Amino acid sequence: MSINIKASGAAAADWQGDGLAIAIFEQTEVNLPDHLQSLDQTALGGTLQELITEARFKGEANSSVQARIGGQAAIRKVILIGLGKPEQLSLETWRKAAAAATKWATHQRCATLAIDFPLNQDLEAIGAIAEGILLTSHKDERFKSKASQPEPQINLTDITLLGCAPEIAAPSLTLANQVVSGVILARELVSAPANLVTPSTLAETASAIAAEYGERFSVKILEQQDCEQLGMGAFLGVSQASDLLPKFIHLTYHPRETPQHKIAIVGKGLTFDSGGLNIKAGAGSSIELMKIDMAGSAATLGAAKVIGQIQPPGIEVHFIVAACENMISAKAMHPGDILTASNGKTIEVNNTDAEGRLTLADALVYADQLQLDAIVDLATLTGACIVALGESIGGLWSTNGEFAQAICQAAAKAGEKIWQMPLEDSYMDQLKSVVADYKNTGSRSGGAITGALFLKQFVANTPAWAHLDIAGPVWSDKENSYHNPGGTGYPVRTLVNLITTFRQ
Ligand code: BES
Ligand code: MN
Ligand code: ZN
């Protein structure tokens, strides 16, 4: 059930429907703006003022008070939502407030909702509100035999942003819908199990995006033999025990004009990570969650879907995924095997569970040959990154300070948390091998850093490279500000911001 968001220049007094959500900045004594005072006195019988006084509502962040309006009122239910202090206002404030309004209205079984927020025609704020609404109302019930809502089903179908001229709001609403469609694609790819999302599924998804947005995309799917010819021994070593064939995906967005900049997004695409012969065994190994090990590729394809709709000028974007499964069979890599990557470097696989970096090695070498300005890779690379930063923050490593800063800014705007970590060169000692050029793992301590250092060895020509370890934030068992449990769609919105503002 999709929600239609529209803007209306009308005020709350002229609106009729099920729910009205009003947002208020924090004040020592809440003073309603004039238009709400008169609404309160006429249509709402003084309910707003009673709520404020009785609940001592101050408009603090994450606070709210609500009431049912009796009789034949034009509006049946109201909620006052606190925005917190105006000096702490960010786009995230709007997303959270909009999500709170949407959840409330859904819970209250409203079919229609009006939003009266102090927006002042701020286009980014309008977009953030639409994002908050759309992101929170996506609930993935594809694999449930029946919907969770009690009968009779009442769906929230229409949300009106009041005091907001439609022609001013339209571009922001369109953009929010486009962005959220990519986030939802990423969420659904991550949440679907490994028996339904395979390397072929990822390849088909890339081809479908290319087909849908027509002439602006080209797509190349390299089959196993193609990868053999390119000498992608590291990628193929990981894939070799699976019954499913690997797919190397290269989707390219071509802007209408000659590109001024070229960038690649490289996503880890392990549709399942059993660990290989270093099997994920025992409590805490989370083998049953390892369908999420393609979240980097899900975000890559999610971003591609958005870019196909926005069609940003002047930038060429390469979306690259080396997709496969890390399985066990008699054909499996032995711990200790030596693989040769496509740049000729040899790798001693001292741990078959450090497989993501092996697939990324060949994907990075491939991207590095495309003469790009920048490469960013996204990978559910290490449990160590979750230990370091917890479940809601991604780790960032980069060889280029300006690029790192651009990524941090893109993430801040998206409200997706990220923290820069060091590329500590001296830890490279841990990856020295007696027999080969590198080992694929170092010691337990600093495991997210040695993972990043390993990847860095496979980028030689591209002036800016960044690695995002997203093992924590791509999945959540709990409901959050504006996503339901499951795949979160992290960091699609950061990627879109990064691409659309690259060197501008
Ligand atoms: N896919 C895992 C990392 C992971 C862990 C993702 C938890 C999401 C949640 C990765 O392939 C892996 O197994 N990493 C090892 C690296 C180690 C062997 C150096 C890890 O983190 O234990
Ligand atoms: Mn692994
Ligand atoms: Zn993995």
Side-chain angles (χ1 to χ4, degrees):
M1 199 65 219
S2 72
I3 294 188
N4 176 35
I5 305 175
K6 61 172 192 282
S8 162
D14 304 317
W15 187 78
Q16 210 172 11
D18 298 328
L20 171 65
I22 298 165
I24 308 267
F25 282 111
E26 187 172 335
Q27 303 157 53
T28 31
E29 204 65 55
V30 168
N31 244 323
L32 288 172
D34 289 347
H35 77 282
L36 290 177
Q37 268 186 36
S38 63
L39 171 79
D40 197 24
Q41 281 149 24
T42 53
L44 303 180
T47 307
L48 294 181
Q49 198 51 57
E50 280 174 29
L51 272 175
I52 290 166
T53 314
E54 285 170 15
R56 312 228 186 305
F57 180 73
K58 301 269 185 283
E60 287 161 329
N62 306 317
S63 72
S64 66
V65 285
Q66 47 170 297
R68 175 103 172 69
I69 316 296
Q72 301 296 306
I75 294 168
R76 292 197 299 116
K77 290 167 184 179
V78 291
I79 186 168
L80 289 165
I81 295 171
L83 291 170
K85 299 196 171 71
E87 60 271 23
Q88 279 167 11
L89 176 68
S90 69
L91 291 175
E92 195 67 356
T93 310
W94 299 117
R95 283 187 201 101
K96 285 184 177 167
T102 306
K103 281 183 202 176
W104 167 78
T106 306
H107 194 244
Q108 295 292 329
R109 299 162 79 79
C110 296
T112 57
L113 168 70
I115 285 187
D116 186 312
F117 286 7
L119 280 171
N120 299 319
Q121 316 281 358
D122 177 340
L123 297 184
E124 284 195 323
I126 293 166
I129 287 171
E131 267 181 32
I133 292 168
L134 297 167
L135 290 171
T136 205
S137 59
H138 169 245
K139 195 166 180 193
D140 187 356
E141 296 192 322
R142 286 172 298 162
F143 310 119
K144 304 263 190 195
S145 58
K146 49 176 202 284
S148 59
Q149 226 198 35
E151 297 291 332
Q153 283 204 17
I154 297 170
N155 289 308
L156 177 59
T157 53
D158 283 283
I159 301 188
T160 307
L161 307 185
L162 296 171
C164 196
E167 62 279 9
I168 289 179
S172 303
L173 297 181
T174 303
L175 180 61
N177 273 293
Q178 292 168 335
V179 168
V180 171
S181 75
V183 177
I184 290 176
L185 174 63
R187 285 177 176 181
E188 295 194 343
L189 284 170
V190 170
S191 295
N195 59 338
L196 296 176
V197 169
T198 63
S200 298
T201 317
L202 294 177
E204 284 156 16
T205 305
S207 301
I209 291 170
E212 184 163 4
Y213 305 108
E215 52 190 25
R216 300 268 63 82
F217 277 110
S218 60
V219 66
K220 212 158 49 175
I221 310 291
L222 306 184
E223 304 295 338
Q224 182 167 283
Q225 305 86 298
D226 304 319
C227 297
E228 276 161 13
Q229 261 167 19
L230 291 172
M232 295 184 170
F235 171 44
L236 295 173
V238 174
S239 165
Q240 74 195 25
S242 174
D243 282 345
L244 305 177
L245 288 168
K247 302 281 170 184
F248 189 100
I249 302 163
H250 179 193
L251 175 67
T252 310
Y253 164 73
H254 306 273
R256 211 166 280 279
E257 27 330 84
T258 319
Q260 270 150 10
H261 303 295
K262 298 184 180 185
I263 178 172
I265 317 281
V266 178
K268 173 174 171 181
L270 266 290
T271 58
F272 188 70
D273 177 13
S274 70
L277 283 173
N278 291 101
I279 191 169
K280 292 187 181 291
S285 71
S286 304
I287 191 170
E288 72 286 355
L289 192 65
M290 283 306 134
K291 66 175 183 183
I292 73 165
D293 217 16
M294 37 55 74
S297 67
T300 301
L301 296 175
K305 184 175 170 77
V306 182
I307 293 307
Q309 293 168 84
I310 299 179
Q311 308 206 344
I315 185 160
E316 182 175 287
V317 191
H318 298 261
F319 302 91
I320 295 168
V321 177
C324 68
E325 275 193 324
N326 187 21
M327 296 297 281
I328 295 177
S329 77
K331 289 184 297 181
M333 288 189 289
H334 318 87
D337 277 2
I338 297 172
L339 306 175
T340 305
S342 42
N343 64 347
K345 296 288 180 190
T346 57
I347 305 159
E348 180 189 4
V349 182
N350 62 335
N351 191 322
T352 62
D353 197 11
E355 83 300 335
R357 62 197 71 183
L358 297 172
T359 65
L360 287 165
D362 282 324
L364 288 170
V365 169
Y366 181 95
D368 197 39
Q369 291 165 355
L370 299 172
Q371 311 218 309
L372 308 173
D373 299 294
I375 301 175
V376 56
D377 75 70
L378 321 161
T380 47
L381 202 71
T382 67
C385 195
I386 308 179
V387 173
L389 296 173
E391 290 191 343
S392 52
I393 306 174
L396 163 67
W397 286 260
S398 183
T399 50
N400 181 301
E402 225 175 289
F403 192 45
Q405 211 184 343
I407 293 172
C408 287
Q409 270 165 17
K413 215 167 157 192
E416 293 178 322
K417 292 171 193 156
I418 202 170
W419 192 257
Q420 194 171 357
M421 305 278 274
L423 273 173
E424 175 57 44
D425 280 327
S426 67
Y427 292 1
M428 259 317 278
D429 284 353
Q430 294 183 30
L431 299 179
K432 279 190 184 151
S433 162
V434 173
V435 289
D437 295 336
Y438 313 111
K439 292 192 296 186
N440 70 332
T441 69
S443 66
R444 250 167 66 85
S445 52
I449 298 176
T450 44
L453 286 170
F454 180 88
L455 297 179
K456 184 177 169 229
Q457 310 312 311
F458 299 90
V459 182
N461 307 317
T462 313
W465 162 75
H467 158 61
L468 284 175
D469 193 331
I470 57 175
V474 296
W475 175 264
S476 176
D477 288 327
K478 294 184 278 302
E479 177 180 329
N480 217 307
S481 322
Y482 46 81
H483 64 75
N484 287 303
T488 62
Y490 182 101
V492 170
R493 291 178 299 117
T494 297
L495 293 174
V496 172
N497 290 344
L498 180 71
I499 293 166
T500 54
T501 61
F502 190 72
R503 301 208 174 139
Q504 278 177 2

